[in-house]
């Protein structure tokens, strides 16, 4: 069993930056796919960035491309989401997710393991 524990997030003004972290524990962390998703009030959970863990392509949602960056620290079994030039429409609860099944799905339903979620609020 794997646990994903998130940190970071908070309140920031538009144009500002935040970094989210997601630390894995409980088993050797080598998922097939990893990603960050977000969910705004009244909306479905949507993908922000997904990647194939073993050196595959990283895919960003068009809405965050050029502003958000996925990175990882293998020694710490931790992934990060650096968010720059934040906009009010980025306000949401952000989740990290992982799955060991083959494939890099864009849908939240394709991920079995989730972090607890962290609130990001961007004020205008």
């Amino acid at each position: 069993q794997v646990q994903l524990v998130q940190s970071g997030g908070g309140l920031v003004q538009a144009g500002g930056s935040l970094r989210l972290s997601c630390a894995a524990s409980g088993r050797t962390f080598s998922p097939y796919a990893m990603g960050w998703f977000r969910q705004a009030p009244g909306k479905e959970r949507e993908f922000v960035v997904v990647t194939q863990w073993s050196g595959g392509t990283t895919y960003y949602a068009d809405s965050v491309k050029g502003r958000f960056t996925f990175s990882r620290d293998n020694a710490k079994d931790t992934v990060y989401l650096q968010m720059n030039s934040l906009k009010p429409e980025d306000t949401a609860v952000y989740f990290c997710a992982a799955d060991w099944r083959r494939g890099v799905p864009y849908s939240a339903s394709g991920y079995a393991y989730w972090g607890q979620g962290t609130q990001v609020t961007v004020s205008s």
Side-chain angles (χ1 to χ4, degrees):
Q1 190 75 354
V2 64
Q3 293 81 41
L4 302 177
V5 178
Q6 296 179 223
S7 59
L11 172 65
V12 66
Q13 288 188 332
S17 298
L18 286 173
R19 189 177 80 158
L20 307 182
S21 300
C22 174
S25 63
R27 63 180 281 185
T28 300
F29 193 67
S30 184
Y32 193 93
M34 185 85 195
W36 287 94
F37 290 75
R38 67 186 182 187
Q39 188 166 17
K43 295 188 176 181
E44 293 188 355
R45 195 168 297 188
E46 64 176 5
F47 105 96
V48 175
V49 56
V50 294
T51 188
Q52 182 176 333
W53 189 252
S54 58
T57 303
T58 299
Y59 303 93
Y60 291 90
D62 288 342
S63 58
V64 307
K65 204 171 293 182
R67 300 188 297 122
F68 290 12
T69 303
F70 175 92
S71 63
R72 55 196 272 187
D73 184 335
N74 291 339
K76 297 181 179 179
D77 284 344
T78 300
V79 299
Y80 305 96
L81 182 66
Q82 178 66 42
M83 305 183 292
N84 298 329
S85 303
L86 282 160
K87 304 175 181 180
E89 51 263 44
D90 294 319
T91 295
V93 177
Y94 284 70
F95 299 87
C96 60
D99 203 275
W100 270 253
R101 294 168 291 185
R102 186 175 181 86
V104 186
Y106 294 98
S107 171
S109 62
Y111 294 82
Y113 297 93
W114 290 87
Q116 80 275 20
T118 186
Q119 179 71 46
V120 171
T121 303
V122 184
S123 63
S124 57

